[in-house]
């Protein structure tokens, strides 16, 4: 007979404003008026897919945890994943053998506990088309006959969305907030063209975090518990300073 454990769900509502141009590329169609259009909804509004934001957060987590030497060490999920297995096996890798990144974002051996929704535009969004040129790496100049244009969302556009973390400790929530803080501080960018100055965003409002207990949700009307973000960030910093995984 299995022993039931509590299931908690932490919801993180975020809102970002573009500081520079933002570009998440989409498929070019016959109706496109630019060489490199944006990813859009059927109604024509650009958006930021959850996969783009989740990739930015995972990359940031890997860099931070590797630089601080957290144990278990952060794996290379493509070359040497946790457990030393590239393919799924009949026997799962024990949870304690997974690094903090794989526990949170997922690996070939375990589903992630972090779910990242789309960042949706708040109202209509105007876009602009910019020009670009190919570079001749040998001559160190603009290449001949390689001019193109690309579409970007200009500064000042707002996007909002929700992230969900299942069974996350205060340190887990704190790490997630610290990663979002990296975006707000301009230390990591979102989308394409970040090396040319695109993709910088900042908070349009502070993240709002609430936690639900599944048992209470089923038994009665759900009453979320507010999460103290300063305390959560402090819990994450304590774990990072100690060099361990919570």
């Amino acid at each position: 007979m299995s022993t039931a454990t509590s299931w908690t769900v932490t919801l993180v509502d975020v809102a970002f404003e573009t500081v520079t141009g933002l570009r998440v590329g989409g498929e070019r169609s016959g109706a496109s008026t630019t060489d490199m259009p944006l990813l859009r909804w059927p109604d024509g509004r650009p958006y930021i897919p959850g996969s783009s934001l989740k990739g930015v957060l995972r990359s940031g987590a890997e860099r931070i945890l590797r630089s601080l030497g957290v144990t278990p060490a952060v794996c290379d999920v493509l070359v040497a994943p946790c457990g030393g297995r590239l393919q799924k096996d009949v026997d799962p890798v024990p949870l304690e053998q997974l690094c903090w990144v794989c526990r949170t974002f997922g690996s070939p051996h375990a589903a992630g506990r972090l779910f990242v929704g789309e960042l949706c535009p708040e109202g209509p969004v105007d876009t602009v088309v910019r020009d670009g040129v190919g570079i001749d790496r040998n001559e160190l100049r603009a290449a001949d006959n390689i001019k193109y244009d690309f579409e970007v969302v200009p500064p000042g556009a707002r996007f909002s969305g929700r992230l969900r973390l299942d069974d996350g400790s205060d340190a887990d929530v704190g790490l997630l907030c610290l990663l979002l803080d990296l975006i707000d501080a301009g230390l990591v960018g979102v989308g394409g063209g970040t090396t040319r100055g695109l993709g910088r965003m900042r908070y349009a409002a502070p993240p709002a975090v609430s936690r639900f207990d599944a048992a209470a949700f089923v038994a009665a009307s759900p009453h979320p518990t507010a999460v103290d973000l300063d305390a959560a960030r402090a819990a994450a910093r304590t774990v990072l300073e100690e060099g361990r995984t919570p």
Side-chain angles (χ1 to χ4, degrees):
M1 181 176 179
S2 63
T3 301
T5 58
S6 178
W7 173 36
T8 60
V9 175
T10 302
L11 302 179
V12 182
D13 292 314
V14 295
F16 285 102
E17 179 182 10
T18 55
V19 177
T20 64
L22 172 72
R23 170 170 171 71
V24 178
E27 183 179 359
R28 186 180 182 187
S29 66
S32 298
T33 58
T34 176
D35 298 319
M36 301 168 64
L38 292 169
L39 183 65
R40 296 176 179 274
W41 277 341
D43 66 4
R45 291 187 298 162
Y47 69 97
I48 303 172
S51 57
S52 293
L53 179 58
K54 188 174 183 179
V56 169
L57 297 175
R58 179 170 191 142
S59 177
E62 289 176 349
R63 297 185 70 177
I64 288 176
L65 299 184
R66 282 198 184 105
S67 67
L68 296 176
V70 173
T71 303
V74 177
C75 73
D76 186 330
V77 72
L78 298 178
V79 178
C82 294
R85 311 175 201 169
L86 289 173
Q87 302 297 327
K88 294 182 180 179
D89 296 272
V90 176
D91 297 326
V93 174
L95 183 63
E96 61 269 16
Q97 292 185 17
L98 296 179
C99 68
W100 198 354
V101 174
C102 285
R103 290 187 194 182
T104 304
F105 294 89
S107 78
H109 309 292
R113 295 181 293 128
L114 177 64
F115 304 83
V116 182
E118 296 173 347
L119 293 185
C120 309
E122 297 184 355
V125 176
D126 295 325
T127 64
V128 297
V129 175
R130 297 182 180 179
D131 292 322
V133 295
I135 301 298
D136 187 321
R137 303 299 178 186
N138 294 322
E139 298 292 335
L140 301 180
R141 63 178 179 82
D144 296 332
N145 301 318
I146 305 182
K147 179 183 176 300
Y148 61 92
D149 55 39
F150 56 96
E151 188 178 21
V152 300
V153 174
R158 292 181 54 153
F159 294 83
S160 58
R162 169 170 286 179
L163 297 79
R164 188 185 100 204
L165 180 64
D166 284 3
D167 296 325
S169 66
D170 285 346
D172 292 322
V173 176
L175 176 63
L176 178 57
C177 289
L178 292 175
L179 296 173
L180 292 169
D181 292 343
L182 293 179
I183 298 175
D184 178 59
L187 298 179
V188 296
V190 178
T194 55
T195 58
R196 63 169 65 186
L198 300 179
R200 183 177 175 188
M201 305 177 73
R202 65 187 171 204
Y203 289 138
V209 182
S210 56
R211 182 174 286 156
F212 291 85
D213 181 89
F217 188 93
V218 173
S221 300
H223 297 287
T225 302
V227 177
D228 186 332
L229 294 188
D230 290 335
R233 289 184 176 98
R237 291 189 177 101
T238 297
V239 170
L240 293 172
E241 290 171 357
E242 294 174 352
R244 60 181 176 88
T245 296

